[in-house]
Amino acid sequence: MDSVPRGPEQRRPGSSTEPEVLRFGVLGPVRAWRDDEPVATGSPQQRALLAALLLREGRTATAAELIDALWGEEPPSQALAAVRTYASRLRKVLDPGVLLSESGGYAVRGLGEGALDLAAAQELAAEAEKARNTGDLCRAREVLSRALSLWDGETLAGVPGPYAEAQRVRLEEWRLQLLESRLDMDLEQGCHAEAVSELTALTAAHPLRERLRELLMLALYRSGRQAEALAVYADTRRLLADELGVDPRPDLQDLQQRILQADPGLAEPSAPMAEPVAVPVRPAQLPATVPDFTGRASFVRELSDVLASASGAEGQVMAVSALAGIGGVGKTTLAVHVAHGARSAFPDGQLYVDLQGAGARSAEPETVLGSFLRALGTADSAIPDSMEERAALYRSVLDGRKVLVLLDNARDAAQVRPLLPGTAGCAALVTSRVRMVDLAGAHLIDLDVMSPDEALSLFTKIVGEERVASEREAALDVVAACGFLPLAIRIAASRLAARRTWTVSVLAAKLADERRRLDELQAGDLAVKATFELGYGQLEPAQARAFRLLGLADGPDISLAAAAAVLDLPAEDTEDLLESLVDTSLLESAAPGRYRFHDLVRLYARACAERDEQPPSERGAALSRLLDFYLATAAGVYAIERPGDRTVDHLEPTEFPGKEFSDDVNALDWLHSESACILACVRQSLRPGTLRRGVDLLLASKDLAESGASSLSYEAAAFAARDATAAAGDAHAEARARTTLAQVLSRAGRFDEAGTEAEIAIELGNRTRDPWTRGNAHNEQGIIANCKNQRAVSEAHLLEAIAAFRSDGNRPGEASALCNLSRVLVLVGRTTSGIDLVRQGITIYDELGLTFRLANARYALGIALSHAARQVEALNELSTALQTFVENRQRLWEGATHFRIAQVHLSAHRPAQAAQHAEQALTTGSIGGDWMRANILTLLGRSLSALGQTDRARACWRDALTIYEQSAAPEAAELRTLLRPVGAA
C-alpha cells in the first residue's frame, strides 16, 4: 500500500472528527488519498492526465492540449477516446464536482487548501521568502525545510509524456533552487560543519551546478578546511573547462580570491546566528530567584546600572561585573536576583553555570563552553574539541545577540576568561570567593554581610511577621548570632518556620552557645565553616549522620539509590532524611531523586565526618557500601548487555546490592547518567582495602570508554588505576588496570602505548593466572598488532586469547577473539577462513542473545565480505551493525562503521556515496583516534578523486599525511605516493 506523506499544512488523522478532504500528490509519484486511504489513480497514462489537470491549477485543458501532453507529436489513432475514458474512470474515484467537463475539455477544481502538495510547497516557499526578507532566518529555514520535505522521490515519477517530462525538469530545478536557498541559510546561521556532508553529495550528483560548489567552498572554509575549499574551486574550474569550455562564474572566482586572502568577512555568518529549528527557544538557564529576597538595594542598583549600560544602544563594550565575598554571604542570590531583573534587556537569552570553583575539581572551561554552545543551538557535531576553538565559536555565536551570562562560583580569572562574551550587547555576572583584580575591565564588588535591619527583615519574611513581632529582641539575638550572614540566617529561620511549636526565644537560646558562633565572627574560610556549623548543630542525629557521610562521596551529585547505600538505609527513609536536609539548605535537590552539596558545604561535611563520626571506621564503611552499590549495579548492566560473558564472575564480591533492571534500555540509561559518579568512585577507591573493587568497577563500566561522551574521563580513571595498582604492588589488580588502559589507548589510536600496557598485562596475568587478564590482554594485543600491520604477531596473540577464553568458558570472549582473528586472516588473503571465523563468532552471539556485541561481529563480517568482493552482503551487515551502535549510544563505533560503509561503496565504484559516509565518519568521530581520522581522510580523498575533485582530494591526503607522520605510521608511505605529482618518477 502506498505511504501517505503529510505536508505541513495537511491535517493528521484523528485531529478532527470531520472527514479528510481529497488530497493529491505530484512531488513524487502521482497519488491521491481520501481519509488517508489511497485512491486508485489507474494506469500511467491515466495518471499523466490527472497530473496535467492538477498542474494547471484549475484552468481548463482542451482535449487537444491533453492529447499533446500525453503523447506529443505521435498520438495513437484513438487518442481522443482514450482521454475521455481516462477522464471517466477518474471521475468515478474522485469526489463529485472535482473533475469537470467544459468547453470540450476538462478541469480539476474545488480542492481544499493544501490539498495539492505542490500548492502547499509554493505557499511555504513564499512564506519562507517573506520571513527571510524580514530577517527571521530561523523561521525561514524551518518553513523552507518543511516545503522540501513534501518531495517524495522524483517528481511525477513513472508518468509518461512530453508534458510530464517538461514539468519534471521545471520542478526539479525549482527544488534545487529551494535547496540552495536553505543551504545558504544554513551557512548564514553557522551550520557549516553539518552542511559539508550534504553539499559533498549534492555536488557529486550535480557536478556542473556552480552555486552548490560555491556553498561547499564556503562551508569547508568556515569548518577550518581551507585547503579543501580551494581544491573544490580547482576541481570546478577544470570540470567546466573540460565539459563546457567556460570559466567559473564571477561569484565563484571572487570567493576563491577571498579565501586565498583569508577575508575576515568569510569567517563569520553574514547574518546574526539564530537558534536552529531543533532548539526553538532561547536559553533561559537562570535558577529561580528566591521569593524573599531582602535588602542589598545599593548593590542591586549598581549592578543593574552596569547591565543596562551594556544592553543599551550606547553600549560600546561587553560589561563584566564580579562579586566577591565569603561563602554564604549571598553572592549567588544577589546575582540571580539582579539577572532576573535584567532579563528584558537581554532578549536573546540568559546562560548560567556553577563553576564549582571551591571544590577539588572545578569545572573545566572547555566543558562549560560545550554546554553553552549546545544551549545556544549549536549541534554536537559542530562543536570543536579544543578550548580555544570552542571559545572562538562561542564568541562568534554570541556576536550580534544580547545575552546575559551568569558564571557562578568561579575559581579564578583564568577559569572565567574563556567564558566571557566578546562583543557589545552582552554582559557577564561572575561570583567567586576571591576578588578578581586580574580580570581586566571587570566592575568589582565586594559583598559584605547584611546590615542588622536587612538581616532582621530577611528573618521576618521567612518566619512570619506575627512570630517575630512579639519577640523582636530574641529575633535580633538570632540574626546577631548568625553573624548577619544571609545563608546562616536562612538556615536558622527555615528551621523555625518548619517547627510551629518553637518560639523565637527557643531558637535564640539554641544559638547562644558560643562554640557554634566563634568561627562565624572570624574572616576567611573559618567564617564559612562557622556559617555551616549553625545549621549542622541544629540537625537531628540521623540527619547529621546523613550530612556527614554523604559529604564523603566524590562526584558532582548523588542519586537516591546511591545515597541509600552510603547510609545503609531503605530508600524511603533515605529520601526523608535527604529532603529534610534540603529544607535546611545544607543539601540541594539537583533533580527529582538526585542531590548535591554546594562544594563548600561538602568540604564542611567531610570535616564534620572526620571530627564527629564514631566509630571512625564508619567513614570507610560508608564509601565501601557506595563502591559495592556502583560495582554490583554496573556488573548487572554488563551482564544484561553481554549474556554469558564470564567477566562478571571474575569481579570482586560485593556485600551491598545494586539496582536491578528489567531491560537493556534502562540499564544503559543508568550507566550513562551515572558516568561521572561512577568514574569519581573509581578514582576515590584506588586505595588499600578497596583497590581491587575500584579497578573492577572500571572494567564493569567499560561501555563508557566507547561512548564518546565519557571517553576522556574514563581514560583518566584508567591511568589513575594503573598508577595506583603499580604503586601498591598488587599484580592482580595491576594486570586488570593495564589491560583496561591498553583497550582505551588502542581505541584512541595510540597503539605503541597500548602495546606496552598489554605486554606488561600479559606478563602479570601469566604470573597471577587471572583468567580475565589472560584472555583480554592477549585479545587486545592481537588487535593492536593487527593495527600496526604485524599480522603474524596478531594471529599468535589472538590464538592465545581464544584458548584462554575457551579454558575459562567465556563464550562471548571467544567470539570476540574469533572476529578479531577473522580480520587478520582477511588481510593476509585467507578471506574464506576469515569469513568462516566471524560466522562462528556470530553464531555464539546469536545463541547468547548478545545484541550489542553482535553488532561488532557484523561489523567484522561486513569487512570480511567486502574483501571477498561481496559488496551487497557487506553493506547489509554493516548497515545492521550501524543501527545497533546508534541504539546503544556507541558514537565512536558509529563513525567507524560509516568509514567501513564508505570503503564498500568506493570498491563498488560509488564514490559519491563513499564520500558522504566518509564525511559522516569525520563528523561523528571514530574508534582509533587520530590514526583512524587519517584513514578516513585518505578514503575521502580517494572518493573525491574518483569524482574528479582532485584538488580537494589532495587537500584531504595532505591532512592525513600530517597525522601519519606525527605518529610515524607506515601508512604515510602510501600517502606520499598519492601526493606525488602526475608523471613523476
Side-chain angles (χ1 to χ4, degrees), residues 60 73 102 142 182 249 351 388 438 551 654 670 689 873 978:
T60 301
E73 297 179 355
E102 61 180 29
E142 175 197 359
R182 198 218 73 210
R249 60 194 179 104
L351 297 169
E388 292 76 14
D438 53 345
T654 58
W670 178 87
E873 296 172 79
L978 288 172

Side-chain angles (χ1 to χ4, degrees), residues 449-450 478-486 488-489 517 520-521 534:
V449 297
M450 284 181 153
V478 169
V479 297
C482 291
F484 309 112
L485 204 63
I489 295 168
R517 293 194 292 111
E520 176 191 346
L521 299 177
L534 293 169

